[in-house]
Amino acid sequence: MSTQTTPSHSEGGIIHILTKVVETIASAAIVIMVILVVLEVLLRSTFGFSFGFVDEIVAYLVVLITFFGACVTFKNRALFKVEIFYGKIPKKIRRVFDLIHSFLSLVLCFTLIYYSFFLVSSSYERQTVSPTKLETPLYIPQLIIPIGLIILVIFIIDFAFPNLFRSKSVKITEDNE
């Protein structure tokens, strides 16, 4: 058996609060999306009426669910990895692989954050709006991208350096190496 230091869901602190906020927002987005789509389908099929903006809102919600969902998935250690090989690697080597993976993930996230801020600032400066009834200023839904990536960076750092954001860690036992 090996032990790994990981955060506990019952543990308080900044990371726990951030996790709960992200989970709540992503869950609410899913519920809102389903309600909007069902309502739109029912209204179109029974009354021939359409709001005309549901497609746009649902598209923004899909982006939010994607980025916030990725954060929650990473935080819950539910991302895909080849466990058959990873589980057979000794604990110390796994830790090295985890640190390398975290470093490469941070490089990618910082690069994406950098360019997503260009996207948002360009839309803001040009006052670009969606070509729909809502005429949504595009920088508003585009902000989801850097916000989601920043949260993911926080979760990656918390994974790589578990004692950085909390005063205590919890030991969780894993099944063998």
Side-chain angles (χ1 to χ4, degrees):
M1 280 195 168
S2 65
T3 60
Q4 179 181 0
T5 304
T6 58
S8 167
H9 284 285
S10 63
E11 181 179 334
I14 296 169
I15 297 298
H16 177 72
I17 293 168
L18 183 59
T19 303
K20 289 300 174 193
V21 167
V22 171
E23 287 174 347
T24 302
I25 291 171
S27 298
I30 291 171
V31 170
I32 292 167
M33 185 174 67
V34 168
I35 290 170
L36 285 173
V37 169
V38 168
L39 187 60
E40 182 76 1
V41 168
L42 289 175
L43 287 173
R44 277 187 189 179
S45 63
T46 56
F47 300 110
F49 174 78
S50 174
F51 288 116
F53 60 83
V54 171
D55 292 346
E56 180 181 1
I57 299 296
V58 167
Y60 300 149
L61 291 173
V62 166
V63 173
L64 187 139
I65 292 163
T66 301
F67 280 89
F68 282 36
C71 293
V72 171
T73 304
F74 180 85
K75 184 66 182 149
N76 292 330
R77 310 293 181 257
L79 288 176
F80 174 79
K81 69 178 154 186
V82 184
E83 198 64 45
I84 191 167
F85 298 113
Y86 188 77
K88 294 182 184 212
I89 298 171
K91 180 183 155 189
K92 288 181 182 181
I93 295 175
R94 270 189 275 171
R95 182 72 178 142
V96 170
F97 282 164
D98 287 343
L99 288 173
I100 291 169
H101 176 262
S102 296
F103 174 75
L104 294 174
S105 297
L106 288 172
V107 168
L108 177 63
C109 284
F110 282 125
T111 303
L112 292 173
I113 290 168
Y114 177 78
Y115 285 106
S116 68
F117 275 118
F118 280 123
L119 173 70
V120 172
S121 65
S122 171
S123 293
Y124 179 77
E125 290 169 4
R126 295 179 185 186
Q127 297 181 345
T128 310
V129 296
S130 65
T132 61
K133 285 182 180 181
L134 292 180
E135 295 184 352
T136 306
L138 288 180
Y139 74 90
I140 295 172
Q142 289 171 347
L143 277 170
I144 295 167
I145 299 168
I147 290 170
L149 289 167
I150 289 168
I151 294 168
L152 184 57
V153 162
I154 292 168
F155 289 169
I156 292 169
I157 292 170
D158 182 57
F159 171 74
F161 307 102
N163 295 321
L164 194 60
F165 292 113
R166 67 180 69 83
S167 60
K168 67 176 186 173
S169 293
V170 177
K171 297 263 185 187
I172 296 179
T173 57
E174 295 180 334
D175 284 342
N176 198 23
E177 353 184 314

